[in-house]
Amino acid sequence: MTFLKKHENILIIAALVFINFIIKGLYLSNNSLGGDEPFSVYHAQMDVVSIIKILSEGNNPPLYEILLSGWIKLFGISEFAVRFPSLIFSSITVIYIYKFALTFINKRVAIYAGILFIFSNYQILFAQEARVYALLGLLSIASMYYYMRVMHYCLNRLTIKEEIKPKIRIYIAGLLITNTLIIYAHYFGCFILFIQFLFFISNRAILLKYWKYLILSITIICLLYTPNLFVLINRFLDSSSNGTWLESPNGIESIYNMIWKFSNAPVVASIVIVVLVSAFVKYLIKRKVEQKNMGIMLVVFWFTFLFFFMFGISYIIPMFIDRYLMPVSIAFCLLLAISADYLVKKHKYRFIIPGFILLLFTLTVKINISNKRNVKETVAQIVQLKDPQTLVIICPHHFTLNFMYYFDQSVFTDFNTSNIYVNIDKALHRNHIYGINNIKEIDINKWKKIVFLDAAANFTYPNNGIQLELEAKFVKVKSYHFYEIFDVTEYTLK
């Protein structure tokens, strides 16, 4: 018992990491590589200089692809291999969630938050995706952990034990490193830094005493980020003037839908909202006698500010989409755990509400969750339908990157750093397969049979005219739908 008591936290962390690893890794390669995954994998095959150069012209900072590049050189580009780093990031995230809550709130909340994170369908999906979002979640909570360590030291400098004081250098280094990495991982990582800045300046005692260190830390991060600083500014200006591919939120419905995504199911989302609101009301009633906890204050501010800030600003620059809210989702797990633990204080009943919430999450979890991108099955269907006299049209053109991963992986690995589609297009054209964005890009008159792959063409190119032209000149033979957005239609000449 002495050994177990002494190493209790280590054993709990090990158990949480193990469960997280099994649940999220069991079906790691079950989904097709889809969405933007082939984009990351394709670029990660390149050298670091090329990755940085090419991604500087788009919406993706280079950190994740650079990390994935080294991984691919060792383990290849299978679905399992390229998604495994995200599983690792997710597993490390559990450690930081537990350490944050344990250090600054209490052990109960640490366990609750860890379990909520593990059994979240939202988190499972991104732990099984070869994209940056699992890394973004890890860096968010790691940054907040080191930030709170530094803040705690600033507030309690005189009362902190001497043997603990040397560790502050480690925490400061950890904060500077994670805050630099997070903005190299995703542009929205800046929001984490902004939250920390606002929280810092809101504490007058700390601000007056340590404002020089605040300026110094900001300067260091800016210097470390200098290579990508102008790219960030240009991307912001471009999004401000030209907009994004996202749509503006739909009022309260969008807020509820996002809580639903964080909560696995509609009924769970409704109960979660009741728990969060009830905890808030109880705090308002008892706020005069409640002892303030800086860790809880940070979590509340982190979730509330970032969630509603991204919601509000999305009416100007749309960004209120699940993947972009990954840092918010980490705060959500902590906030829900805090709220469930706070509602009932009597020892005899204090586990009822948290236990009920955890039970709902475990009952509604989907270990084998679909990414809604059945690319492999779609490509297989087209291969089955086509013959040497068949023209295959793919819209939009950029989907050819997804297509080629399953059509001919040897071409996918033959990357081109000056024009990512040139080798892919050449290989597809040899097989009478053309990726286009508009029907005017291709002559369909000499063909007797055509297969059209509609990969949400009307969403990205609403005036492509492909289907109208095909139905005017050809007879539709049969259509095949692949969940969620792929439609394959076979046509023959009238």
Side-chain angles (χ1 to χ4, degrees):
M1 285 299 294
T2 305
F3 175 83
L4 293 177
K5 190 68 176 177
K6 184 179 180 180
H7 300 282
E8 184 178 25
N9 289 321
I10 295 175
L11 293 173
I12 292 173
I13 289 174
L16 290 173
V17 170
F18 177 76
I19 297 170
N20 184 82
F21 190 85
I22 296 299
I23 285 178
K24 295 174 182 175
L26 198 59
Y27 295 98
L28 194 61
S29 60
N30 198 54
N31 285 313
S32 296
L33 211 70
D36 292 329
E37 287 182 288
F39 175 90
S40 287
V41 175
Y42 184 84
H43 286 84
Q45 298 175 105
M46 303 175 185
D47 61 275
V48 173
V49 174
S50 297
I51 292 173
I52 294 173
K53 180 179 181 297
I54 294 172
L55 294 188
S56 68
E57 300 170 359
N59 296 320
N60 300 268
L63 178 62
Y64 174 75
E65 280 74 16
I66 291 172
L67 295 176
L68 187 60
S69 177
W71 185 268
I72 283 175
K73 287 178 174 60
L74 294 174
F75 301 105
I77 63 167
S78 69
E79 294 100 329
F80 186 89
V82 298
R83 288 170 175 161
F84 200 82
S86 293
L87 176 60
I88 295 174
F89 298 144
S90 176
S91 298
I92 300 174
T93 301
V94 178
I95 299 174
Y96 275 102
I97 288 175
Y98 185 86
K99 284 168 67 70
F100 179 95
L102 177 67
T103 307
F104 305 111
I105 307 171
N106 62 55
K107 183 177 289 187
R108 297 186 305 277
V109 170
I111 295 173
Y112 301 156
I115 295 173
L116 290 172
F117 176 84
I118 291 170
F119 289 93
S120 165
N121 291 333
Y122 173 95
Q123 299 296 344
I124 290 174
L125 188 63
F126 290 112
Q128 297 177 347
E129 183 177 75
R131 289 287 285 166
V132 69
Y133 302 105
L135 175 60
L136 179 61
L138 166 59
L139 292 173
S140 297
I141 184 60
S143 173
M144 288 301 191
Y145 172 75
Y146 292 122
Y147 174 78
M148 275 302 300
R149 280 291 194 180
V150 175
M151 290 286 284
H152 181 259
Y153 175 81
C154 292
L155 281 173
N156 304 280
R157 186 174 181 179
L158 296 177
T159 58
I160 290 177
K161 294 180 181 179
E162 287 299 324
E163 63 268 21
I164 297 177
K165 289 184 178 180
K167 292 184 179 180
I168 188 61
R169 296 174 184 174
I170 298 174
Y171 300 143
I172 291 173
L175 180 60
L176 290 174
I177 291 170
T178 52
N179 278 358
T180 302
L181 290 177
I182 199 171
I183 50 181
Y184 272 113
H186 199 282
Y187 292 127
F188 288 171
C190 294
F191 291 150
I192 291 294
L193 277 65
F194 187 51
I195 289 169
Q196 292 175 357
F197 172 78
L198 291 178
F199 197 74
F200 186 95
I201 65 174
S202 68
N203 192 306
R204 183 178 174 82
I206 293 179
L207 178 62
L208 291 175
K209 192 172 183 179
Y210 295 101
W211 64 270
K212 292 181 181 178
Y213 296 98
L214 174 64
I215 294 174
L216 179 61
S217 65
I218 293 172
T219 303
I220 292 173
I221 291 172
C222 287
L223 288 173
L224 292 172
Y225 195 65
T226 298
N228 211 54
L229 187 59
F230 292 105
V231 177
L232 170 62
I233 295 171
N234 288 333
R235 296 316 307 158
F236 176 77
L237 293 175
D238 180 70
S239 297
S240 300
S241 57
N242 300 322
T244 67
W245 59 273
L246 296 170
E247 296 179 356
S248 298
N250 187 23
I252 194 74
E253 181 181 346
S254 295
I255 292 176
Y256 173 77
N257 287 338
M258 195 60 67
I259 298 296
W260 174 358
K261 288 186 179 182
F262 291 162
S263 306
N264 292 358
V267 64
V268 183
S270 300
I271 294 171
V272 163
I273 291 171
V274 171
V275 170
L276 294 175
V277 172
S278 299
F280 178 66
V281 171
K282 179 182 177 182
Y283 173 76
L284 290 179
I285 296 171
K286 293 181 170 289
R287 67 184 183 278
K288 292 182 179 180
V289 296
E290 290 285 357
Q291 186 176 358
K292 290 184 179 180
N293 179 298
M294 183 168 285
I296 294 175
M297 290 168 62
L298 177 62
V299 171
V300 172
F301 181 70
W302 174 6
F303 175 82
T304 307
F305 175 82
L306 192 50
F307 186 86
F308 289 102
F309 173 78
M310 293 184 71
F311 171 77
I313 203 172
S314 290
Y315 285 97
I316 303 171
I317 307 173
M319 61 177 68
F320 198 71
I321 185 175
D322 54 1
R323 59 192 57 241
Y324 292 167
L325 269 74
M326 172 57 79
V328 179
S329 73
I330 305 297
F332 172 82
C333 293
L334 288 163
L335 182 61
L336 181 55
I338 291 167
S339 300
D341 182 64
Y342 174 70
L343 282 174
V344 178
K345 290 295 186 179
K346 288 186 178 180
H347 182 76
K348 188 176 181 180
Y349 305 107
R350 74 186 323 165
F351 299 107
I352 294 177
I353 294 177
F356 181 58
I357 295 293
L358 296 180
L359 178 63
L360 289 175
F361 269 71
T362 55
L363 290 176
T364 55
V365 70
K366 297 178 180 178
I367 299 176
N368 187 15
I369 190 170
S370 172
N371 67 357
K372 304 177 183 179
R373 298 291 186 269
N374 292 332
V375 182
K376 187 175 183 179
E377 295 83 353
T378 304
V379 173
Q381 182 63 67
I382 291 173
V383 170
Q384 182 180 338
L385 291 174
K386 78 178 296 297
D387 56 43
Q389 284 73 48
T390 301
L391 170 67
V392 176
I393 297 174
I394 299 173
C395 185
H397 175 264
H398 64 252
F399 188 75
T400 54
L401 200 60
N402 296 52
F403 186 90
M404 186 56 77
Y405 180 85
Y406 288 103
F407 184 72
D408 190 341
Q409 209 162 95
S410 64
V411 177
F412 185 89
T413 56
D414 183 24
F415 57 87
N416 188 296
T417 57
S418 58
N419 184 340
I420 67 172
Y421 292 105
V422 64
N423 292 344
I424 290 174
D425 283 341
K426 287 179 180 178
L428 290 176
H429 293 173
R430 288 194 294 268
N431 289 276
H432 308 308
I433 303 172
Y434 289 81
I436 63 174
N437 296 326
N438 192 287
I439 192 62
K440 295 178 181 178
E441 299 174 29
I442 192 170
D443 181 11
I444 62 173
N445 293 313
K446 63 179 181 179
W447 298 94
K448 294 183 178 179
K449 180 181 177 182
I450 294 178
V451 173
F452 173 42
L453 167 56
D454 181 345
N458 288 330
F459 178 75
T460 48
Y461 296 94
N463 300 314
N464 60 76
I466 298 172
Q467 193 168 348
L468 291 174
E469 189 74 10
L470 291 176
E471 291 181 355
K473 297 182 178 180
F474 293 80
V475 176
K476 183 188 295 186
V477 177
K478 193 173 181 179
S479 292
Y480 308 84
H481 178 72
F482 297 89
Y483 184 76
E484 177 183 49
I485 62 171
F486 304 137
D487 289 292
V488 176
T489 308
E490 184 180 8
Y491 294 91
T492 58
L493 192 64
K494 286 184 178 180

